[in-house]
């Protein structure tokens, strides 16, 4: 969603990106390594995008001058929403079970 408001004194621009990041895909749980083919490639792409997003956020927090937005399509698309004076919100689903502890912790990091 994009909007642009303008009057004689000020201009405001805004964007709203809603992304389902699918979560960290563990090969052992998704069985993608057994199925192979497209599912395995999709799982690899999801993990690469999430890893790149994490790296970009860390670089922005550290004040790095050259941030690697172009390393994935996801970070390229979200570039305007991650840097500058933008506001970003993440909603994370965490499981309450002990068996889901490591995945929940990974998502929170």
């Amino acid at each position: 969603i994009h909007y642009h408001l303008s009057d004689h004194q000020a201009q405001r621009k805004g964007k709203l990106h809603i992304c389902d990041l699918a979560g960290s895909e563990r090969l052992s749980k998704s069985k993608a390594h057994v199925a192979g083919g497209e599912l395995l490639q999709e799982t690899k792409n999801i993990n690469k995008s999430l890893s790149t997003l994490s790296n970009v956020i860390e670089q922005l927090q550290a004040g790095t001058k050259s941030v690697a937005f172009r390393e994935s399509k996801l970070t390229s698309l979200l570039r305007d929403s991650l840097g500058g004076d933008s506001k970003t919100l993440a909603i994370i689903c965490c499981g309450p079970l002990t068996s889901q502890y490591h995945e929940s912790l990974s998502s929170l990091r």
Side-chain angles (χ1 to χ4, degrees):
I1 299 172
H2 299 267
Y3 78 88
H4 179 83
L5 297 175
S6 179
D7 61 20
H8 297 292
Q9 296 175 350
Q11 285 189 0
R12 293 183 184 213
K13 294 180 183 179
K15 291 183 182 180
L16 174 64
H17 295 280
I18 300 173
C19 303
D20 179 359
L21 298 179
S24 173
E25 297 294 326
R26 300 209 184 276
L27 289 175
S28 59
K29 289 193 177 188
S30 69
K31 305 292 185 211
H33 63 289
V34 175
E38 288 182 30
L39 182 60
L40 179 59
Q41 190 59 43
E42 181 181 351
T43 301
K44 288 179 181 179
N45 289 339
I46 289 169
N47 288 339
K48 181 182 182 293
S49 290
L50 291 173
S51 177
T52 302
L53 178 61
S54 176
N55 291 340
V56 164
I57 291 170
E58 286 178 13
Q59 291 170 358
L60 288 168
Q61 288 175 336
T64 305
K65 298 225 184 229
S66 178
V67 179
F69 288 107
R70 290 185 273 164
E71 287 189 19
S72 80
K73 288 181 184 178
L74 175 66
T75 53
S76 293
L77 290 170
L78 294 177
R79 182 180 191 149
D80 293 343
S81 299
L82 294 172
D85 63 351
S86 64
K87 307 289 186 248
T88 304
L89 172 70
I91 299 171
I92 301 169
C93 295
C94 295
L97 301 176
T98 308
S99 61
Q100 298 166 335
Y101 171 79
H102 293 292
E103 288 185 46
S104 295
L105 184 60
S106 176
S107 294
L108 290 169
R109 287 184 177 150

